[in-house]
Amino acid sequence: MKPFIIVCALGRTGYKIYTLLKQQGANVVGISDRPLTTQPNDKIIIGNMRSPQVLMEAGITEAHTIVLASNDDALNVAILTQARTLNPKIRIINRLYNRTLGARLDRILPDHFTMSVSALAAPIFAFAATGNKAIGHLKLLDKTWALQDEVIDENHPWLGIPLSQLWDNLDQMLIYYLPKQGEIDLVSAVMEEKNLEMGDHLIVATQTKINNKSRSVFIKWLKVVLNIGKYKQYARPVIVVTLILLALIFLATFTYVFVNWHISLVDALYFSVGMITGAGGKEEVAETAPDIIKIFTAIMMIVGAGIIGICYALINDFVLGSRLKQSWDVAQIPSKNHYIVCGLGNVGIEIVRELHRQGQDVVVIEPDHNNRFLHSVRSLGVPIIVEDGTLSDTLNTANVRKAIALLVVTSDDMLNVEIALTVKALAPNLPVTLRVQESQFAECVQDVFQFETVLSPAELATHSFAAAALGGRILGNGMTQDLLWVALATMITPNHPFCNQEIKSMATQADFVPLYVIRGNKKIHGWDLLAIHLKDNDILYLTIPANRLDELWRTDSVAPILFH
C-alpha cells in the first residue's frame, strides 16, 4: 500500500519535497496558497492551508503523514493544530526554524517530528569547507559521519578489489552499492566477493576527524597578547582623548611651576589634576598667581570639563558597550589555519557549531550588532568581527590570507557573491564555499566564477524531508542515480518481520544494508553481523531504498522505528 502524504506550502523547498515523493512512488497531494505551474499528473489544491475545508479536500482524514514545509513557523504551527483536530493520528513532519519550540512540540505531541533546513545543511557546508566532498551525513554511534559517493574509475585505488575487503571496518561503513552492470545488492556482492569495476558507485560513510587542539587559558591569553596591535582600531578614540587629557595636565603643571618656582612639582600636578577633573585641592596655587594665570586656569577648567566628559563617555561606551567585546574578539582572532564564516543566520550558526565540534578554529564576520546568535557564538569562545564582510579591511582583520577556507552563508545571494569575489581578489587560492538559494543559479555561479563549492541548503535538505515523510525519524539519507535511500534504526519486536531471521538472508531479500546491531550493551558489526539471527529487543541500524520502507512494517503489527 502506497503511503498517502500531504505536503503543505509548495514553495522552493515544499515543491521539491512533493516532486521527490512522487518520484519515489508515494501517493502525494500538495496544498499551495498561490497558483503554480504544474505537471499534468500533479495533485495540487490551491487555497488557504489553514482552512479545514481545504485540508478535507486534500484528504486529511485518510492521510498517513502531513509535511509542513512553509518557512513561516507560525503558519506551520497553525496548520499543525488544524490537521491534528481533523486527524488526531496523522504523522507530522514540521519544518521549524525555532529549534527550542520544535523540541518541545516533539516531546508533547506523539508522531511529531521537527526538522530544520539549516541543521540538515550545515554539516555538509562544514564538510565541504574542510575538503570533504560529502553528499550528505549520518548520525550514528553518537557521531556525525560524512557520506561520500565513490565512483570507481581507472585511477581509483579500490578498482579491482573485492567488496569483502571493505566490509569489516567500523571506521568506514559501506552504505549502498550500485553496480554499473547488472543488479546486485551490497550484502550479496560482499558474500560473493565481487570485485569493484569501473563505473560502479559505492556510498561510504566516514567518521568526522576531530582536531584536538589545545584550548588552555595560557594559549588564549598568549593569543590576546600577540594580537594586541589589533586593539587600536576599536580603542583609538579612547586613547586619543586620554592623551589629550594627559597633555592638558602636563601643560597646566608646567605652567604653574614655571610661573612660581616656589611651588613644588607635586603640588602643581595635584592642583592641575583637581582643577581639570573638578575634584579641587591646593587652590592657593592659583589664588596667589598673577591675573593671566587665573585666566589660564579658568580656560583650563572649561576645556578640562569638556575633555573629562568626553573621556568618561568613551570609557563608558568602551567598557559597557560593544567596543570592549569587539576588541576582545579581534584580539583572539587566529593568525593562521582557521575557518572564516560570513553570515550568522540559521545556517551560519549551525556551521559554526559543527566546525567548533570538530575542534577547528573559527572566526565569524557579521554586520548586525543586534544579531540574536552573537551571545551563543561568543559562549563557544569563537571571535566575532561585527563589520561589513564586503570590505577588504574587515577580511584582512580576519587574516583571510592565512585562513584554511571561507564560508559565505548570508541569506542574500548577491551579497554572498560580492563577498566571495572580494575574498578572491585578496586571496585567490583560498577555497570558498558559497550559499545560494536556487540550485540552478548555484550551478551558474560556480561555472562562471569558478568557486570551489556552491551549495543550496533547500536542495540539501529536501531528501531528508521526503525520507522522513515516508517513515520514521531518519538518521541520514542520500540520492544516487534517482534512487532515494535512507538510514534508520528499527527495534525488533516479536511481530517484526525480521524477528528470528538471519540478517544475511533478510538483507538480500529486502535490499537493505545492515550497519550494526545493538544487543544489550554490545555492538555487533562486520562479518559477525551477517551471521546473527535478530532477536526481540535488538536494535538494527540499516540503510534501505525509500520505496522499500514498507518491508519494515509489512505485518499487521507495525514495527517501531526508533526516533533519535
Side-chain angles (χ1 to χ4, degrees), residues 248-553:
L248 287 176
I249 293 173
F250 174 79
L251 175 63
T253 302
F254 174 79
T255 302
Y256 294 127
V257 171
F258 181 78
V259 170
N260 187 350
W261 292 97
H262 299 293
I263 299 175
S264 70
L265 182 62
V266 174
D267 287 343
L269 176 63
Y270 182 74
F271 173 71
S272 298
V273 172
M275 172 195 61
I276 292 175
T277 60
K282 283 288 181 181
E283 284 80 2
E284 60 270 17
V285 172
E287 289 175 355
T288 59
D291 291 344
I292 189 66
I293 297 302
K294 292 180 179 179
I295 296 173
F296 170 78
T297 301
I299 294 173
M300 292 301 292
M301 286 180 178
I302 296 172
V303 174
I307 295 296
I308 286 294
I310 295 172
C311 188
Y312 283 164
L314 288 174
I315 292 174
N316 181 69
D317 176 65
F318 186 81
V319 176
L320 301 180
S322 61
R323 290 185 179 273
L324 184 59
K325 292 179 180 178
Q326 293 176 24
S327 301
W328 178 256
D329 285 334
V330 170
Q332 293 186 91
I333 293 173
S335 58
K336 59 181 179 179
N337 297 332
H338 57 286
Y339 294 85
I340 302 173
V341 178
C342 292
L344 197 57
N346 290 295
V347 175
I349 182 63
E350 295 295 340
I351 293 172
V352 171
R353 286 170 177 160
E354 178 64 26
L355 290 171
H356 183 267
R357 189 192 65 79
Q358 296 179 21
Q360 306 293 350
D361 285 332
V362 185
V363 176
V364 173
I365 298 176
E366 166 59 44
D368 184 5
H369 291 263
N370 298 315
N371 185 285
R372 60 192 177 119
F373 296 122
L374 291 181
H375 177 71
S376 298
V377 172
R378 286 194 173 108
S379 67
L380 297 175
V382 174
I384 305 173
I385 302 174
V386 188
E387 299 288 351
D388 186 352
T390 62
L391 302 178
S392 300
D393 288 345
T394 303
L395 295 168
N396 286 327
T397 301
N399 294 324
V400 68
R401 292 181 176 87
K402 299 290 185 66
I404 297 175
L406 179 132
L407 300 98
V408 191
V409 291
T410 76
S411 57
D412 187 330
D413 288 356
M414 291 298 98
L415 179 60
N416 289 343
V417 172
E418 182 181 357
I419 294 173
L421 292 174
T422 304
V423 169
K424 283 299 184 182
L426 296 173
N429 297 322
L430 181 69
V432 173
T433 299
L434 196 70
R435 171 189 178 182
V436 172
Q437 301 290 357
E438 289 286 351
S439 57
Q440 188 173 8
F441 181 53
E443 295 176 3
C444 296
V445 168
Q446 188 164 14
D447 290 340
V448 172
F449 299 113
Q450 296 298 303
F451 297 133
E452 283 71 16
T453 309
V454 182
L455 300 172
S456 168
E459 189 76 16
L460 296 174
T462 300
H463 301 153
S464 296
F465 278 89
L470 290 168
R473 174 64 65 93
I474 305 304
L475 305 177
N477 61 87
M479 194 85 178
T480 308
Q481 295 185 350
D482 295 328
L483 174 68
L484 174 64
W485 52 265
V486 297
L488 49 83
T490 180
M491 177 175 285
I492 306 302
T493 63
N495 293 323
H496 197 292
F498 295 169
C499 189
N500 297 320
Q501 301 293 322
E502 184 185 39
I503 285 187
K504 178 172 58 179
S505 59
M506 291 304 300
T508 56
Q509 292 176 28
D511 191 23
F512 72 81
V513 178
L515 303 178
Y516 59 95
V517 166
I518 294 181
R519 178 173 290 174
N521 295 323
K522 183 180 179 183
K523 294 185 179 72
I524 305 172
H525 59 90
W527 294 108
D528 294 337
L529 173 64
L530 297 179
I532 68 168
H533 287 70
L534 290 168
K535 298 179 180 180
D536 186 21
N537 288 326
D538 283 352
I539 302 175
L540 172 63
Y541 290 77
L542 72 154
T543 60
I544 188 171
N547 56 15
R548 300 198 66 170
L549 278 169
D550 60 329
E551 297 282 349
L552 298 177
W553 47 80

Side-chain angles (χ1 to χ4, degrees), residues 142-158:
D142 298 322
K143 299 176 182 177
T144 302
W145 300 63
L147 292 175
Q148 294 176 298
D149 184 2
E150 298 285 350
V151 181
I152 308 302
D153 56 25
E154 59 183 2
N155 298 318
H156 200 287
W158 293 350

